[in-house]
Amino acid sequence: MLPTDEGFSKYGSSPSAVNHERPPAQQRRRLNPTLVKIGLGLLSVVGLTAVAGGVLVHQALDVRSRLDEALALVPQLRFELEEGKQDEARGTFEQIQKHAANARSTTTTPLWTAGAATPFIGPNFHAVREAAVSADDIVTRAGAPLLGIYGSLNSQTLSPENGQIDVVRLQDAAPSISAAAQTVKLSHARLAAVDLSELLEQVADPIRSATDELYAASDALEAASSAAQLLPEMLGASGPRNYLLLVQNSAEVRATGGIPGALATLRTENGRISLSEQSSAVALGSFSPSLDVDLEQEKLYTARLGTQMQNVNLTPDFPTAAATAKTMWEQRHQGQVIDGVLALDPVVLAHLLESTGPVALSDPSVLQLVKGTSLPTSLSGQNVIPTLLSDVYREIVDPVEQDAYFAAVAGSVFDAFSDGQGDGDQLLKALTRSVQEHRLYLWSSHTDEQKIVASTPLAGSVMGAEGGGATFGVYFNDATGAKMDYYATRTVRLLEACESGDYSRYTARVNIANNAPKDAASILPDYVTGGGTYGVEPGRIQTNYVVYGPAQSFVETATVNGQTVPVGSGKHGQRPVGTVSLELAPGETAELDVVFSRVIQDSEPRLQVTPGLEPLENVVLPPLSTGCD
């Protein structure tokens, strides 16, 4: 070892000038043999580490190449599957499988494991290994089973044909879909556990993207798994089933979408779906005394929940509304047993019509009803909403006949769907979009089935998975007693501010406009304006805004256009509920704020809103934050 600068100054100006006289005996030190061995060992480790580092760099490049090549083949595989080229798809899949297996093999060697334990750079090797293992798991344990059933289970083969769906295929596919869903869920958890802050950006970025992709894939597979488990039984694989269909009229808003005006029953048996009976909420009449409902919700929404079918969904909790609707129907139809309840709105009908194409009304009584009016006898995705939510009230005065026309349209769309009219992919997209926008609900009276439904957006529960965590809900209930919500527009967003400690304060902001014409009172029918029957001046819109906060938080205040207003306060389970009634004249707008304090921020906030005529993305605006110090 070269002497230090201090050594040079002590012994001379250069190494050649060092005094070679031997130091005294007491200053002599013999080299310790043990230290020599340790030093040589360290030199060996340094050398081996350098060599291993070179090998690891080479392997890392190879792993990246393998994963990139596997990813690049995915679009080709998708194309081959969509085109029905099963042999080509199988060959492409085998290439993907080979790349993923090689990547896993490389990253699970002892050398790679040692690299993952190295300070500073080690977390990057660990992250790449987790990605490679996840990729191989997904390909082998999820992709392979799904590929095996794809030919017999896709949007085309599962679309109704002549009113029937092949439930045997669903039953056979269920285990493979369930296994794939579990694999993707575990792989997502594996990547989500990687600490991205410890990684190089070149490693962190693809890990982040892969985690997001797996999250979306996991949701999709969970939904598919639930469907594969539910549908065979619900479609009558083990015996006939009867379902009550509620067609929600968005022109008179209710918390889950609209007033249930037109009703129908569906029968399923061995995958065959048929429309059994059509009726209306008006035909059922009133129930006195009112049916028993959950006392907590009765305090929030009054006993009207159990008095008329039109009011069962004043609560945004669809399981409650559905159970009440089942009881009402069974009381009026002795001997009939309802196995479940479905609900949809006119926007769902529009989505389906965009897939099936126009459908023609065929019921002679309905054709006679619309004779001489401007109401269409052929419905499309473009005309169905204004027809059902506005035009029908102008052309038909009798509410019973209005509901008959409504039911005939819904029945015709159902017939087109069940007969397999339209493209299977488009039908699946229409249904998926309807579920995502909370326009399509399902409830089963069979406990084991309802447990599965409860984990999906179809449930419409404010207390289950959809209503857990930092979830807010803003729901609308008409108080005009009319069909004026066709002229209302609303947007909703969350505003976040910080409180002391670990709490946050959130404001649910609703911007509302009454877009009815100024002379609505004189040009619109009384059935649309209400005619002042319930104390609301014709042309004006009165709405009860029901706002739910997360569990354990508190309703603090409510303001309209910055002015404090009274707010009704209650509880639904552990969730606080604030209610504000607001009335607007034609052309008038308002901004309603409901503030919740002491919100525990345990997850990203979610916002659920009563679906209306506008697309969801136009109604639910991005949240805003004032930031935290």
Side-chain angles (χ1 to χ4, degrees), residues 457-477:
L458 282 166
S461 172
V462 299
M463 302 305 294
E466 284 289 292
T471 300
F472 296 81
V474 180
Y475 307 105
F476 320 133
N477 278 317

Side-chain angles (χ1 to χ4, degrees), residues 153 158 165-175 177-178 181 218-237 243 428 431-432 435 442 449 451-458:
L153 187 73
L158 290 180
I165 294 174
D166 191 341
V167 293
V168 174
R169 283 178 173 172
L170 277 170
Q171 289 174 315
D172 291 344
I177 298 175
S178 180
S218 180
D219 272 0
L221 279 171
E222 283 289 340
S225 178
S226 296
Q229 294 176 65
L230 284 170
L231 283 176
E233 290 303 311
M234 297 191 76
L235 289 172
Y243 297 94
L428 181 59
L431 292 172
T432 300
V435 173
L442 171 65
E449 294 173 1
K451 285 180 180 178
I452 299 174
V453 174
S455 66
T456 73
L458 282 166

Side-chain angles (χ1 to χ4, degrees), residues 57-68:
V57 169
H58 174 75
Q59 289 184 348
L61 293 174
D62 181 64
V63 168
R64 175 172 180 172
S65 175
R66 294 285 188 181
L67 294 178
D68 284 346

Side-chain angles (χ1 to χ4, degrees), residues 43-320:
L43 287 174
S44 299
V45 170
V46 170
L48 288 173
T49 301
V51 173
V55 173
L56 282 175
V57 169
H58 174 75
Q59 289 184 348
L61 293 174
D62 181 64
V63 168
R64 175 172 180 172
S65 175
R66 294 285 188 181
L67 294 178
D68 284 346
E69 289 176 23
L71 188 61
L73 288 168
V74 171
Q76 178 180 330
L77 176 64
R78 184 184 298 114
F79 171 78
E80 291 165 346
L81 288 171
E82 290 173 350
E83 293 297 313
K85 300 178 178 180
Q86 292 298 308
D87 291 338
E88 291 91 333
R90 191 165 287 105
T92 302
F93 181 79
E94 287 173 358
Q95 292 181 59
I96 294 174
Q97 199 169 26
K98 180 179 179 181
H99 290 312
N102 286 338
R104 180 181 190 141
S105 177
T106 299
T107 59
T108 52
T109 61
L111 180 59
W112 196 282
T113 301
T118 305
F120 305 115
I121 198 67
N124 294 278
F125 288 102
H126 169 74
V128 174
R129 179 178 61 197
E130 296 296 273
V133 170
S134 295
D136 187 52
D137 280 348
I138 291 168
V139 170
T140 304
R141 301 179 185 177
L146 290 179
L147 184 67
I149 64 172
Y150 187 88
S152 60
L153 187 73
N154 55 45
S155 60
Q156 301 299 327
T157 57
L158 290 180
S159 295
E161 185 174 352
N162 298 321
Q164 189 170 18
I165 294 174
D166 191 341
V167 293
V168 174
R169 283 178 173 172
L170 277 170
Q171 289 174 315
D172 291 344
S176 295
I177 298 175
S178 180
Q182 183 65 14
T183 296
V184 172
K185 182 178 181 179
L186 292 174
S187 294
H188 170 260
R190 179 194 292 274
L191 290 190
V194 174
D195 187 352
L196 299 181
S197 66
E198 296 182 338
L199 307 182
L200 297 170
E201 202 58 34
Q202 300 94 315
V203 177
D205 275 348
I207 295 292
R208 186 181 295 111
S209 297
T211 305
D212 292 342
E213 291 289 339
L214 285 179
Y215 180 80
S218 180
D219 272 0
L221 279 171
E222 283 289 340
S225 178
S226 296
Q229 294 176 65
L230 284 170
L231 283 176
E233 290 303 311
M234 297 191 76
L235 289 172
S238 300
R241 293 283 189 93
N242 294 298
Y243 297 94
L244 178 62
L245 174 64
L246 312 180
V247 183
Q248 301 189 97
N249 187 336
S250 308
E252 186 172 350
V253 73
R254 288 289 186 271
T256 64
I259 189 170
L263 311 175
T265 54
L266 305 176
R267 180 180 175 85
T268 64
E269 185 171 9
N270 195 30
R272 184 170 294 280
I273 311 170
S274 58
L275 193 62
S276 301
E277 181 180 350
Q278 291 179 285
S279 185
S280 69
V282 172
L284 288 188
S286 298
F287 293 79
S288 182
S290 65
L291 303 183
D292 290 336
V293 294
D294 175 49
L295 290 177
E296 192 172 49
Q297 292 182 71
E298 183 179 308
K299 290 179 182 178
L300 289 169
Y301 304 105
T302 76
R304 289 192 300 154
L305 285 174
T307 60
Q308 291 178 309
M309 181 68 78
Q310 295 95 322
N311 293 324
V312 296
N313 57 343
L314 286 170
T315 173
D317 191 61
F318 185 70
T320 298

Side-chain angles (χ1 to χ4, degrees), residues 8-23:
F8 281 129
S9 61
K10 182 175 181 179
Y11 294 111
S13 60
S14 68
S16 61
V18 176
N19 187 341
H20 292 286
E21 181 177 325
R22 296 182 67 186

Side-chain angles (χ1 to χ4, degrees), residues 241-243 326 329-330 333-340 445:
R241 293 283 189 93
N242 294 298
Y243 297 94
K326 164 186 162 70
W329 183 269
E330 290 176 344
H333 298 79
Q334 294 296 319
Q336 288 192 27
V337 176
I338 296 298
D339 295 289
S445 63

